[in-house]
Amino acid sequence: MSQMNPGGMGPGLGSQMHSGRPGQMTAVMRAIQATTGPKVLRIGLVAAGRILEERIVKQRTNVTVGPSEKSTFVVQANLPAQFKLFELVGNDYHLNFLDGMTGRIALATGITDLAALKGQAKRVGPAYQVRLSEEARGKIVIGETTFLFQFVAPPPVQPRPQLPLSVKGGVASQIDWSLTIIAAFSFLLHFGLVGAMYSDWMDPVVNEDITAGLIDMVQRTVPPPVETSEAPTPSATATETAAPTQAPKVQQAPPTKPAGAAPDAKVVQGLINEADQARIAILAALNGGPNINGAMKDDNGAPVDLNSLANRQGGISNTGGNGLNLPGGAGGPIQPGRGGGGLASLRGEKTGGASDSAGVAVKVVPIGNVSSEPAVATVPVSNAEAVIRSQVHPGAKRCYQKGLESDPSQAGKVVILIKVAPSGEVDSATVASNNGLSAQVASCIATVAKRAKFDAPGASGSTISVPFNFVRQGG
């Protein structure tokens, strides 16, 4: 297969294949319209033998370099903030370079170093300026950065991206017309049926003549006659006045009392008597039935004799010797008005014998109060006061209260020395001083302080001195 002669193929195909050359433009490439106009700069940025950036300056404008972020290429070198390396003067580019720059440029006259171009260049301030043609190319070295440049044809203008036709279609192109027509006819049919059900075309026909007659009857209804009083004539009036008549007696209204006057006591008493009589009449009308049985019985269910209750002389009085007229006999119910005896009769017939022995002794234990003074630490601990107030202080109060049960007279001041480890744990808690308390109470307080937990004070730890004052409140 490797020795096949291409000439064995058809003459037309073989000639076409032999006529092809590597790198020849394809039909698509030839179809692209070549851009016309001045060439643009193509610049590559090289540092440490690596191409860091390559850019085509599509718009013919000045190309600046320097440490400023507004420069086209940011370069950390001894340059002005925005140095115009390639300056557009009119329609031509000019190369500006300083004394510290090196490089080589290929011009129409040949390849030349920047040092040799200084004699041919135009001096513009501290820089040298050389005009560049569109065939010029070269490299410029600024510090550790190298700029490679050449002029190339501007890239073709990219067409504006457009959506495909399937997406650009309007709403009408997305409607399923078959389904839409079926749905429209379905709505028309259903709404037509509902409208026919609620229409009046199926109602019975109304005779318009009868309706008109009823309306005319209502409009012609005669209103009821209005009664009018006849005015008396002058002759009748004279005759009536001539007849002898006896004038009626005018009753004088009783004198009215002024507003705000107090009612008469007799009138008030009369109203009260009438109310009592009405209440008695109501009870009599009930004929002593079950409606008033509960009201006419005492607590034991026996009927109450109202006359005997009215004649009793018991109760509270200031005539007897004891003030209260209570029945005698121990253990009986208290019934006012029955017998004498007063309050003295409430006791039993006999009293207990005399005793010469003392009762049970009661020991009074005072209530202890504990207050702590500000703690002193060799190294500050952030939560020292909070831990002492919440963890040590309640336990110290319990220890003191327990000590008051054995010795109610003890009170004083105790200083506890707490050594805190770097981790915040308590290494030891000892009694630095004890004034007035028992050794058991002081040891109990130190044990409570040993169980406290502080924040980490640091690598060296801390020693906290805590004074407590103990005062008894009673006993």
Side-chain angles (χ1 to χ4, degrees):
M1 293 179 62
S2 62
Q3 297 177 0
M4 289 181 62
N5 184 7
M9 299 181 183
L13 183 58
S15 60
Q16 289 181 5
M17 292 183 63
H18 282 290
S19 62
R21 293 176 300 174
Q24 186 178 5
M25 295 179 62
T26 62
V28 177
M29 296 173 64
R30 286 194 299 268
I32 298 176
Q33 184 179 1
T35 56
T36 59
K39 295 182 178 182
V40 295
L41 274 172
R42 178 184 180 187
I43 303 174
L45 183 62
V46 181
R50 297 176 57 188
I51 299 177
L52 302 180
E53 184 179 358
E54 182 179 354
R55 189 183 307 178
I56 295 177
V57 184
K58 298 179 181 180
Q59 301 293 334
R60 291 175 62 87
T61 182
N62 298 329
V63 178
T64 59
V65 297
S68 175
E69 295 180 355
K70 297 181 180 180
S71 301
T72 307
F73 294 93
V74 179
V75 177
Q76 299 297 333
N78 189 13
L79 293 173
Q82 288 180 299
F83 178 71
K84 296 179 181 179
L85 184 62
F86 298 96
E87 184 177 1
L88 185 64
V89 180
N91 293 329
D92 298 328
Y93 271 104
H94 289 71
L95 173 64
N96 297 325
F97 59 94
L98 300 174
D99 289 331
M101 299 180 183
T102 59
R104 301 177 67 186
I105 301 175
L107 300 174
T109 58
I111 300 175
T112 311
D113 293 335
L114 292 183
L117 286 176
K118 290 182 181 180
Q120 304 175 9
K122 178 184 176 181
R123 192 65 181 262
V124 181
Y128 300 92
Q129 190 177 77
V130 178
R131 179 181 174 276
L132 300 176
S133 62
E134 292 186 352
E135 290 77 15
R137 63 183 182 277
K139 70 173 181 178
I140 307 297
V141 180
I142 303 175
E144 298 180 356
T145 306
T146 302
F147 289 90
L148 304 177
F149 72 93
Q150 69 176 133
F151 289 90
V152 296
V157 179
Q158 296 293 333
R160 185 178 181 182
Q162 297 181 357
L163 294 175
L165 295 177
S166 59
V167 180
K168 290 177 62 177
V171 179
S173 62
Q174 301 178 5
I175 296 177
D176 188 353
W177 289 107
S178 301
L179 179 61
T180 303
I181 293 172
I182 295 173
F185 277 105
S186 176
F187 282 127
L188 289 175
L189 179 61
H190 285 80
F191 282 109
L193 292 176
V194 173
M197 292 172 60
Y198 287 95
S199 63
D200 57 352
W201 65 278
M202 298 182 64
D203 295 342
V205 180
V206 179
N207 191 352
E208 296 181 357
D209 296 336
I210 297 176
T211 304
L214 292 175
I215 295 174
D216 185 65
M217 184 186 300
V218 172
Q219 292 178 352
R220 293 184 180 183
T221 301
V222 180
V226 179
E227 296 181 358
T228 58
S229 59
E230 297 181 357
T233 59
S235 59
T237 305
T239 305
E240 292 177 359
T241 55
T245 57
Q246 185 177 1
K249 295 182 180 180
V250 179
Q251 295 181 358
Q252 296 182 354
T256 59
K257 294 184 179 181
D264 191 359
K266 293 181 179 180
V267 175
V268 174
Q269 186 62 33
L271 294 175
I272 294 175
N273 294 335
E274 291 179 1
D276 293 340
Q277 292 175 5
R279 185 162 52 250
I280 294 173
I282 292 171
L283 294 176
L286 296 176
N287 295 324
N291 295 323
I292 61 173
N293 287 339
M296 301 301 294
K297 293 182 180 181
D298 59 5
D299 295 339
N300 297 325
V304 178
D305 187 2
L306 298 179
N307 293 327
S308 62
L309 290 177
N311 295 327
R312 284 182 181 178
Q313 300 297 327
I316 301 173
S317 65
N318 55 1
T319 58
N322 48 23
L324 288 177
N325 297 326
L326 302 179
I334 300 175
Q335 297 181 3
R338 298 180 60 181
L343 294 176
S345 62
L346 296 178
R347 64 176 177 83
E349 295 180 356
K350 295 182 180 180
T351 60
S355 175
D356 55 356
S357 60
V360 179
V362 178
K363 182 178 182 180
V364 179
V365 179
I367 299 175
N369 187 20
V370 182
S371 62
S372 60
E373 299 178 4
V376 179
T378 56
V379 176
V381 180
S382 59
N383 64 338
E385 293 294 338
V387 171
I388 293 170
R389 185 169 53 255
S390 61
Q391 300 182 21
V392 183
H393 191 276
K397 187 174 182 179
R398 289 193 299 269
C399 293
Y400 181 51
Q401 188 64 40
K402 187 175 181 180
L404 289 175
E405 295 177 0
S406 58
D407 184 7
S409 64
Q410 60 179 328
K413 180 178 181 180
V414 173
V415 178
I416 303 298
L417 202 63
I418 304 173
K419 292 185 178 181
V420 183
S423 61
E425 301 288 342
V426 177
D427 283 344
S428 63
T430 58
V431 180
S433 64
N434 181 8
N435 184 13
L437 298 183
S438 62
Q440 292 80 3
V441 175
S443 177
C444 177
I445 297 171
T447 304
V448 171
K450 182 67 171 62
R451 294 193 295 265
K453 181 69 171 69
F454 296 86
D455 287 345
S460 60
S462 178
T463 301
I464 305 174
S465 177
V466 187
F468 290 97
N469 295 316
F470 298 88
V471 180
R472 61 180 183 275
Q473 294 183 353

